[in-house]
Amino acid sequence: MSHLFSPLTIKDITLRNRIGVAPMCQYQAVNGVAQAWHMAQLGSKAVGGAGLVMVEATAVLPEGRITPGCMGLWNETQVNALKPITAFIKSQGAVPGVQLAHSGRKGSSALPWLGGQQLTDADGGWNTYGPTDQAFDDDGTRLWKAPKQMQQEDIDTVQNAFVAAAKRALEAGYELLEVHCAHGYLLHSFLSPLVNTRTDSYGGSLKNRARMLLETTEKVRAAWPQGLPFAMRLSMTDWVDGGLTVEDNVQVARWLKVLGVDIIDCSSGGATPASRGSINGGIAQQVGMAADVRQGSGLMSMAVGEITQAQQAEGIIADGQADIVLLARAMLHDPYWPTHAAKELGVEMTQVMPPLHQLFIGR
């Protein structure tokens, strides 16, 4: 019996196996609306045997996008474009998940293959937001906008947008919801002491810096059905002295558990440019961080980062380091990675193949 291919029940949802497709920005949306690209990109992973298929960071407001090509869930047109995609994912035996996000001060950026620099107003850019008015990078090598320091009205607007997007996610057919608090985007920037230097109730101590995240979580949890899984992506370390540590995030996870979060998606870095080199050298350590938060908080965890081999993924689940492994580049290289992993591990194909295909087994 393979641990990797054992089912996992979270609330009212059961994953057919412990393999998930990590949220990966595709930059192919138009005005936040999913395109045929997304059906092909996400649908192929469901056909390939993944238990969980996560859509990319999906902005709760237009100004919450990273780039003009990012997905959104701030209107009904976006909902309607997603319905056939989630329906197809479910028809193939997988669970569709969505990652709700706000880019914060890292938004209004050009597409990566066009340089990734922040767009000026003349180039179609938009205003950005953050806990302070400090730009993401001020080293002079790129143009980074100074974000608007958010006041209570702005905070309320963003939190309400997360709630509205969660309701639209349910309407669109998603069965697992994840809130993005990592990689230097808005919620993470409030949490990290490298960015958040506020002196009001949203700054200072870890609990105060977590206030934006905890308030948002509480409001989203109230809007998202209790029977459906609620996940949180955290940057488990900032990789910079004086930044967030694994121990800090274990404490944050404990607070999130009280508010009804079911599982932590463990990533790292991104709060400031200083973390770039350490991220590249430390991605493999994220699996250990998933084990730490699992043990320290009592929550389930998802591990991501340089997971590429079947035996490696099997060991992560078998050793209790995580409950789900999330694959990104490996799934882009091979959408049928789960099927090939099952064959390598000697798993019966009926545990991974989509239901429609099972009709033809033995004929």
Side-chain angles (χ1 to χ4, degrees):
M1 180 66 183
S2 165
H3 294 273
L4 183 64
F5 284 93
S6 63
L8 175 66
T9 298
I10 312 174
K11 296 290 183 63
D12 296 341
I13 298 299
T14 297
L15 305 179
R16 60 182 166 188
N17 56 52
R18 309 299 186 92
I19 303 168
V21 179
M24 292 177 280
C25 290
Q26 298 295 297
Y27 310 107
Q28 298 294 323
V30 178
N31 295 322
V33 179
Q35 304 296 304
W37 172 279
H38 297 92
M39 175 65 86
Q41 155 71 5
L42 299 167
S44 64
K45 311 304 185 293
V47 173
L52 171 66
V53 178
M54 295 279 288
V55 72
E56 65 196 80
T58 301
V60 300
L61 288 167
E63 59 269 27
R65 292 172 296 166
I66 305 167
T67 76
C70 289
M71 294 272 284
L73 257 178
W74 63 82
N75 64 42
E76 289 301 307
T77 300
Q78 295 157 350
V79 171
N80 292 333
L82 290 167
K83 286 180 178 178
I85 298 175
T86 59
F88 181 78
I89 290 171
K90 285 185 274 192
S91 77
Q92 300 305 299
V95 170
V98 62
Q99 183 188 71
L100 297 184
H102 191 296
S103 58
R105 64 182 189 160
K106 295 176 75 174
S108 188
S109 294
L111 299 174
W113 51 87
L114 297 179
Q117 72 282 355
Q118 282 197 306
L119 298 167
T120 65
D121 293 344
D123 293 328
W126 53 86
N127 294 331
T128 61
Y129 295 82
T132 73
D133 60 2
Q134 179 185 0
F136 177 69
D137 197 346
D138 58 1
D139 65 3
T141 61
R142 295 174 63 182
L143 174 64
W144 286 94
K145 295 182 177 182
K148 177 185 178 183
Q149 179 171 326
M150 294 177 71
Q151 304 304 312
Q152 189 62 55
E153 181 181 1
D154 304 309
I155 289 171
D156 293 342
T157 296
V158 167
Q159 291 178 347
N160 291 338
F162 268 96
V163 171
K167 293 177 180 178
R168 292 190 184 100
L170 180 65
E171 182 185 354
Y174 289 109
E175 296 178 324
L176 180 146
L177 182 144
E178 177 175 285
V179 169
H180 198 344
C181 180
H183 305 164
Y185 300 124
L186 185 64
L187 295 178
H188 180 209
S189 69
F190 267 85
L191 188 60
S192 174
L194 299 176
V195 185
N196 186 350
T197 57
R198 296 171 73 110
T199 58
D200 63 2
S201 62
Y202 288 95
S205 68
L206 177 62
K207 189 62 177 283
N208 276 6
R209 297 195 314 273
R211 186 182 303 276
M212 174 64 162
L213 170 62
L214 299 179
E215 288 179 349
T216 304
T217 298
E218 185 173 17
K219 292 176 180 179
V220 172
R221 178 70 275 185
W224 184 246
Q226 292 299 312
L228 295 181
F230 185 15
M232 182 69 62
R233 171 163 275 199
L234 296 177
S235 275
M236 294 298 297
T237 174
D238 281 336
W239 293 116
V240 178
D241 288 343
L244 287 169
T245 65
V246 173
E247 291 75 19
D248 291 333
N249 278 289
V250 169
Q251 177 58 68
V252 171
R254 294 188 187 115
W255 292 329
L256 292 169
K257 182 180 181 181
V258 173
L259 296 177
V261 169
D262 301 301
I263 188 166
I264 302 296
D265 176 0
C266 300
S267 191
S268 68
T272 71
S275 67
R276 288 172 182 153
S278 298
I279 293 173
N280 293 336
I283 289 176
Q285 298 178 42
Q286 291 174 176
V287 172
M289 297 172 194
D292 290 339
V293 78
R294 190 174 187 266
Q295 181 177 3
S297 70
L299 286 170
M300 290 183 282
S301 70
M302 295 190 276
V304 61
E306 296 186 356
I307 302 170
T308 60
Q309 303 301 316
Q311 292 291 349
Q312 175 195 15
E314 174 74 16
I316 290 169
I317 303 300
D319 294 343
Q321 293 180 287
D323 298 275
I324 297 171
V325 292
L326 294 178
L327 283 71
R329 292 178 179 87
M331 284 288 192
L332 291 179
H333 295 160
D334 180 9
Y336 288 84
W337 190 98
T339 304
H340 298 146
K343 182 177 181 180
E344 180 178 336
L345 296 172
V347 172
E348 172 59 45
M349 281 295 108
T350 55
Q351 292 181 244
V352 65
M353 295 179 72
L356 292 177
H357 294 188
Q358 291 181 26
L359 297 174
F360 300 96
I361 294 175
R363 292 187 180 181

